[in-house]
Amino acid sequence: MPSYTEYLKINELLALQRPLSEGPEHDEMLFIVIHQVYELWFKEILHELDHLVGLLARDDGARARGTLKRILTILKVLVAQLDILETMTPLEFLSFRDRLESGSGFQSHQFREREFALGWKDARALERYPAGSEGRARLERRFESASLWDAFLHHLAANGVPVPASDLRRDVTRRVEPSAALRDVLIGVYRGRSALAELCERLVDLDEGVMEWRYRHVKMVQRTIGTRRGTGGSAGADYLLGTLNQPLFPDLWAIRTEL
Ligand code: HEM
């Protein structure tokens, strides 16, 4: 049996935190660790999302709801982790920020993969990764693949819900767009199909959780770097503010007024 250290590759893992600042600056360690932890959770979320899509395709609603709950719980941890980063003051961050050069979470291909997996497709995101790179190849695969939203619609249809054919056959490389016909169908699900309605609610939790992270991240950015430009080359907080309040699953929000 391998030991704890061997099985988890602890020595390799602990060798991966390499500050670039001289000294090095005390807070750079926190900055590296927190980003690495995020990337590990992104990896786990993608793993669970793929599993979830498979469960929906196999019509295993109970386990699908359990998997969604796990993803939602991880998402809460991702939001809570921003509290740790907020213990770093603006001056502490500035002490090593110039070492990041153009590095930014903006370039996280796993973050974009997660967006694509959830149905937030944007072909421009592909261009940010060099052709032939591992990140680009993974993103291209996600771009072409059906998203969680598509798997959800097919799951509804397999359970006798009259999902409009235009929604079932939508172009999966496009962002999920509002559909009036689908909204009527979803209202019917809420009124008469409690297990499927619960699944809808968990998707709304997921959507809200992603928006919550975006809100907390931009607040953290504003208090740490104000209105400075981002190291990834964007306008910084102004760019991030433009990504708020944009639901992944617009129809699940729109039906609230009519329920
Ligand atoms: C001091 C800490 C941080 C600061 C000052 C900061 C700042 C920024 C800024 C200014 C942007 C806009 C893009 C650009 O760089 O031009 C951005 C984007 C982003 N950051 Fe952070 N960030 C911090 C921590 C984190 C952490 C811990 C994560 C976790 C992975 C993260 C993930 C992201 C992601 C995914 C984006 C792209 C968002 C999008 O395009 O919708 N950031 N960040």
Side-chain angles (χ1 to χ4, degrees):
M1 287 293 284
S3 70
Y4 174 89
T5 307
E6 286 160 354
Y7 175 62
L8 296 171
K9 306 271 179 270
I10 300 297
N11 292 336
E12 291 88 333
L13 185 66
L14 297 182
L16 295 175
Q17 296 71 42
R18 299 189 192 135
L20 290 175
S21 60
E22 286 179 22
E25 291 292 344
H26 178 79
D27 284 56
E28 194 179 351
M29 181 60 85
L30 170 67
F31 189 81
I32 293 172
V33 167
I34 205 151
H35 280 85
Q36 291 183 342
V37 170
Y38 266 108
E39 288 293 338
L40 287 175
W41 282 128
F42 290 160
K43 182 173 185 171
E44 173 63 14
I45 287 181
L46 289 168
H47 183 61
E48 298 295 343
L49 280 174
D50 289 338
H51 185 52
L52 176 57
V53 165
L55 290 169
L56 289 172
R58 292 198 293 282
D59 202 20
D60 191 343
R63 288 178 68 205
R65 288 192 296 279
T67 301
L68 252 175
K69 181 155 170 35
R70 178 177 294 172
I71 295 170
L72 293 170
T73 310
I74 298 171
L75 209 46
K76 292 268 176 227
V77 170
L78 294 191
V79 174
Q81 274 182 187
L82 287 167
D83 288 344
I84 308 174
L85 211 43
E86 284 184 345
T87 63
M88 182 173 68
T89 68
L91 288 179
E92 284 163 347
F93 180 50
L94 288 176
S95 71
F96 63 88
R97 188 185 189 225
D98 57 340
R99 299 300 173 126
L100 306 178
E101 298 184 3
S102 63
S104 163
F106 201 43
Q107 296 151 352
S108 164
H109 67 78
Q110 291 204 109
F111 181 84
R112 297 292 166 216
E113 271 191 76
R114 193 194 64 181
E115 284 189 327
F116 284 5
L118 293 176
W120 188 261
K121 304 275 177 96
D122 182 350
R124 288 169 308 176
L126 296 168
E127 307 302 326
R128 298 200 199 107
Y129 303 87
S133 65
E134 163 78 10
R136 172 80 169 251
R138 291 176 58 121
L139 260 184
E140 280 170 348
R141 275 199 300 278
R142 296 264 175 208
F143 188 70
E144 301 293 335
S145 304
S147 68
L148 173 60
W149 181 249
D150 301 294
F152 164 69
L153 293 184
H154 284 273
H155 177 70
L156 291 183
N159 280 275
V161 176
V163 179
S166 54
D167 289 287
L168 286 176
R169 285 196 229 106
R170 71 177 207 95
D171 176 356
V172 299
T173 67
R174 292 179 66 85
R175 191 169 291 179
V176 177
E177 283 155 0
S179 157
L182 180 64
R183 284 198 289 281
D184 290 339
V185 169
L186 290 171
I187 289 171
V189 167
Y190 268 81
R191 294 198 174 137
R193 304 287 303 270
S194 57
L196 293 174
E198 194 190 327
L199 186 59
C200 294
E201 284 298 279
R202 296 295 77 77
L203 290 180
V204 175
D205 288 341
L206 180 60
D207 204 348
E208 194 173 347
V210 170
M211 287 193 260
E212 192 185 356
W213 183 85
R214 287 187 179 284
Y215 173 77
R216 286 293 318 277
H217 173 262
V218 71
K219 284 290 144 197
M220 184 269 298
V221 169
Q222 285 172 323
R223 67 186 277 175
T224 309
I225 60 166
T227 57
R228 285 183 171 87
R229 292 189 67 79
T231 47
S234 82
D238 269 356
Y239 157 74
L240 294 168
L241 286 169
T243 67
L244 301 184
N245 274 326
Q246 298 203 32
L248 295 164
F249 314 128
D251 288 324
L252 285 178
W253 293 90
I255 58 172
R256 315 271 133 185
T257 325
E258 294 165 58
L259 283 174

